């Protein structure tokens, strides 16, 4: 098959998957008080940006651990009393776009400027880092890398059973039981597929999962569009 034909097939296929994904989410209304926009950060890649509004200087919330910006749905409105609050879903997760790259860390750095406190201190006024559980977060070349950390295979709680998957309300209660807190339903709907009956079908497989880096500030493209 000619290269242009393969590319066309990929683009059409990606569009269909994205359309069905968005269509499934559209049947349920997210109660969080944010608006949603998509900012182009690369060729054929748009990143989802949630805007909760608010007064004061801008504060950017960035999810780690493979989550989307919707994980902040319950928390972000509380910050909006003092800040203008945004959340960004990294490429390869949720409804944000994705394109493969040989340098995923650098590409995410262009999207959301990784290690900004060290390399771009002029772009932010301050940073709060809450995801420092892994040695490679310090990036001193001496800690374990991502693959080594994943190979440790820490004990995991039992997976949700049929009762837990009967509805997203039941799934929220499952996560509260095993984690001690509830995820926003919008985040669970980003992570899991809803069946036609309203039950929870299966977990989504995001292409960005293989490059789970946690960026910490805005790129120039996002900074021009998020104000």
């Amino acid at each position: 098959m000619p290269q242009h034909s393969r590319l066309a097939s990929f683009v059409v296929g990606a569009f269909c998957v994205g359309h069905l994904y968005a269509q499934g989410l559209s049947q349920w209304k997210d109660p969080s008080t944010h608006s949603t926009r998509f900012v182009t950060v690369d060729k054929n890649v748009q990143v989802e940006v949630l805007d909760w509004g608010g007064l004061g200087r801008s504060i950017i919330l960035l999810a780690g651990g493979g989550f989307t910006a919707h994980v902040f749905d319950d928390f972000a409105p509380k910050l909006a009393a003092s800040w203008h609050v945004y959340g960004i879903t990294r490429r390869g997760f949720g409804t944000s776009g994705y394109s493969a790259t040989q340098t995923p860390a650098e590409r995410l750095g262009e999207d959301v400027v990784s290690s900004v406190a060290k390399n771009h201190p002029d772009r932010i006024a301050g940073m709060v880092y809450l995801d420092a559980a892994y040695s490679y977060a310090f990036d001193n070349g001496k800690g374990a890398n991502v693959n080594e950390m994943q190979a440790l295979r820490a004990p995991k709680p039992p997976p949700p059973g049929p009762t837990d998957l009967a509805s997203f309300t039941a799934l929220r209660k499952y996560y509260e039981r095993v984690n001690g807190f509830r995820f926003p339903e919008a985040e669970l709907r980003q992570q899991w597929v809803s069946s036609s009956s309203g039950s929870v079908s299966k977990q989504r497989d995001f292409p960005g999962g293989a490059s789970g880096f946690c960026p910490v500030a805005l790129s120039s493209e996002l900074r021009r569009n998020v104000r």
Side-chain angles (χ1 to χ4, degrees):
M1 180 183 293
Q3 184 176 1
H4 67 275
S5 298
R6 291 197 299 270
L7 177 61
S9 299
F10 171 78
V11 172
V12 171
F15 172 79
C16 291
V17 170
H19 176 70
L20 292 173
Y21 176 43
Q23 189 177 50
L25 292 176
S26 68
Q27 297 176 1
W28 174 82
K29 177 68 174 178
D30 186 349
S32 189
T33 57
H34 60 65
S35 61
T36 304
R37 74 176 94 171
F38 289 86
V39 176
T40 300
V41 296
D42 197 6
K43 184 178 181 180
N44 299 323
V45 176
Q46 290 188 317
V47 168
E48 178 188 50
V49 178
L50 306 184
D51 182 352
W52 283 273
L55 302 175
R57 301 175 69 179
S58 297
I59 185 170
I60 313 300
L61 303 178
L62 296 159
F67 297 115
T68 76
H70 294 271
V71 76
F72 300 114
D73 269 359
D74 297 335
F75 172 68
K78 299 176 182 179
L79 294 176
S82 302
W83 307 87
H84 193 137
V85 185
Y86 300 94
I88 301 173
T89 299
R90 292 173 292 158
R91 68 163 59 203
F93 294 95
T95 56
S96 287
Y98 176 78
S99 64
T101 175
Q102 297 297 318
T103 56
E106 288 79 4
R107 184 58 257 180
L108 285 174
E110 289 298 317
D111 288 350
V112 204
V113 189
S114 299
S115 304
V116 68
K118 176 181 179 181
N119 300 320
H120 303 280
D122 58 313
R123 296 196 181 186
I124 61 169
M127 179 176 65
V128 179
Y129 186 21
L130 298 178
D131 203 5
Y134 302 106
S135 57
Y136 58 77
F138 300 100
D139 195 24
N140 62 2
K142 299 179 181 180
N145 60 35
V146 177
N147 292 332
E148 290 169 337
M149 294 298 297
Q150 291 178 340
L152 294 176
R153 299 187 180 279
K156 296 182 179 180
T163 302
D164 303 315
L165 298 176
S167 67
F168 279 93
T169 298
L171 186 61
R172 290 189 74 195
K173 292 179 179 178
Y174 159 81
Y175 279 113
E176 182 179 29
R177 187 169 67 250
V178 300
N179 293 331
F181 64 91
R182 289 192 185 188
F183 286 107
E185 185 169 337
E187 178 62 27
L188 294 182
R189 288 179 177 272
Q190 295 283 325
Q191 302 288 342
W192 294 78
V193 177
S194 176
S195 70
S196 58
S197 64
S199 63
V200 184
S201 175
K202 62 180 181 179
Q203 284 188 289
R204 302 183 191 276
D205 184 15
F206 293 127
S211 57
F213 298 93
C214 184
V216 292
L218 287 175
S219 70
S220 57
E221 293 93 337
L222 287 171
R223 289 173 68 241
R224 283 195 297 267
N225 287 277
V226 179
R227 293 180 180 147

